[in-house]
Amino acid sequence: MLVPSLDAHQASHPAPVLDVGRIRAISIDLDDTLWPIWPTIAKAEEVLLQWLALHAPATARLFANTEALRAIRNQMVNLRPDLEHDLSALRRESIRMALVQAGDEPTLAEPAFDVFFDQRQRVQLFDDAHDTLAFLSTRYPVVALSNGNADVHRVGIGHYFKASINAKDFGAPKPDVRIFQEAARAVQVQPHEVLHVGDDATADALGALGAGMQAVWLNASGQAWPHGAQPHATVSSLTHLCRLLG
C-alpha cells in the first residue's frame, strides 16, 4: 500500500488564501518570534548560578551548571502539571526544590527567581523586529500573545502594543482557543478579523486557526508543516511578513 507523501497530505488540505483586507488587528507571539529565546534563558541561568554561588553555595555546588538547573526545572514540569501555563511559577518552584535538595534556605527562591527574571527580560531582538513592530502598529492595533513570561514593557517594546496577554495571567496557554479569543476582545474586534503571527506550528498557527483567526507561520528554519489544516501564509522572516502585508 502506498503511503501518501507530505506534499500529497498537504494537497488534501489546501492552504487558505490570506485576506489582508479582512485584518483589523494583529496578535503576535514573543519568544522565538521577536527574539531567540534559548540564548536569553541560558544567560539568565548563568546569572542565577552566579547569585547562588554567593547566597546559596551548597545549591550552586549541587547544581553546578545550566544543564543541571534546566533538568530540575523540567522535572518540575512533570511534578506540577497544574503550573504548565505559568513559567514563572515553574522556574521559582524548581529553584525552591534545588535549594531544599542542597540544604539551603528555601525562602531564597524568591530573590533568586527575581535575579533570573530580571535577566530573562534582557532579550536580543531579531534585527528586523523593531521595524516590523513599527510597521504593524501604525496600521493595526497589535496584541502580544505569549505562553512565556516576558514583559513587553521591561523588554522595551511596550509602546508598540495595545494589549499584552500571557498564559499565566489568562489561566490557559496557547493553543487553547480561549486565549486567542481574549486577544480579539482586548482590541474590540472579532476573532476572524485578527491575524495571528507566531513561530510555533501548533501553539501559534494551529491554535489561531482553531479560534477562527487568520494565521501566519514564521518558519525561519524551513521546517515541514506538521499538521493537516494549513496556515494562511508561511514567512521566513519578519521582513517577509511586512512585505506580505504591505
Side-chain angles (χ1 to χ4, degrees), residues 16-56:
V17 177
L18 180 67
D19 183 355
V20 175
R22 198 173 90 194
I23 302 169
R24 293 186 57 203
I26 301 282
S27 61
I28 189 165
D29 176 54
L30 300 177
D31 294 331
D32 282 333
T33 295
L34 297 180
W35 57 75
I37 185 55
W38 287 112
T40 303
I41 296 299
K43 179 61 178 177
E45 288 170 338
E46 289 176 10
V47 171
L48 172 60
L49 275 175
Q50 293 166 8
W51 188 92
L52 291 171
L54 292 175
H55 301 278

Side-chain angles (χ1 to χ4, degrees), residues 69-89:
L69 283 178
R70 200 164 300 170
I72 197 169
R73 185 264 185 206
N74 292 338
Q75 183 181 353
M76 185 58 63
V77 173
N78 296 323
L79 291 172
R80 295 291 304 274
D82 59 304
L83 297 179
E84 68 165 344
H85 64 288
D86 188 346
L87 300 189
S88 291

Side-chain angles (χ1 to χ4, degrees), residues 106-235:
T107 57
L108 290 172
E110 300 295 337
F113 172 76
D114 289 344
V115 168
F116 171 88
F117 189 67
D118 179 69
Q119 184 63 44
R120 186 260 184 272
Q121 308 305 316
R122 302 182 187 186
V123 303
Q124 183 65 49
L125 275 76
F126 292 126
D127 290 343
D128 50 359
H130 275 294
D131 287 346
T132 297
L133 290 171
F135 173 89
L136 295 176
S137 63
T138 58
R139 289 161 174 79
Y140 311 100
V142 182
V143 181
L145 190 60
S146 177
N147 283 355
N149 55 3
D151 181 327
V152 294
H153 299 287
R154 291 178 69 168
V155 167
I157 56 174
H159 56 289
Y160 295 120
F161 296 96
K162 295 296 185 182
S164 180
I165 299 168
N166 61 47
K168 170 186 176 293
D169 294 337
F170 182 71
K174 297 176 295 182
D176 191 310
V177 297
R178 294 172 297 174
I179 194 170
F180 291 94
Q181 293 164 349
E182 181 64 19
R185 279 193 294 270
V187 287
Q188 299 179 314
V189 300
Q190 296 300 310
H192 72 272
E193 297 174 312
V194 179
L195 172 67
H196 180 72
V197 180
D199 71 288
D200 191 300
T202 301
D204 287 306
L206 201 64
L209 291 173
M213 294 180 173
Q214 295 193 88
V216 170
W217 182 34
L218 176 61
N219 181 21
S221 56
Q223 300 175 32
W225 175 251
H227 302 296
Q230 295 187 56
H232 293 76
T234 298
V235 296

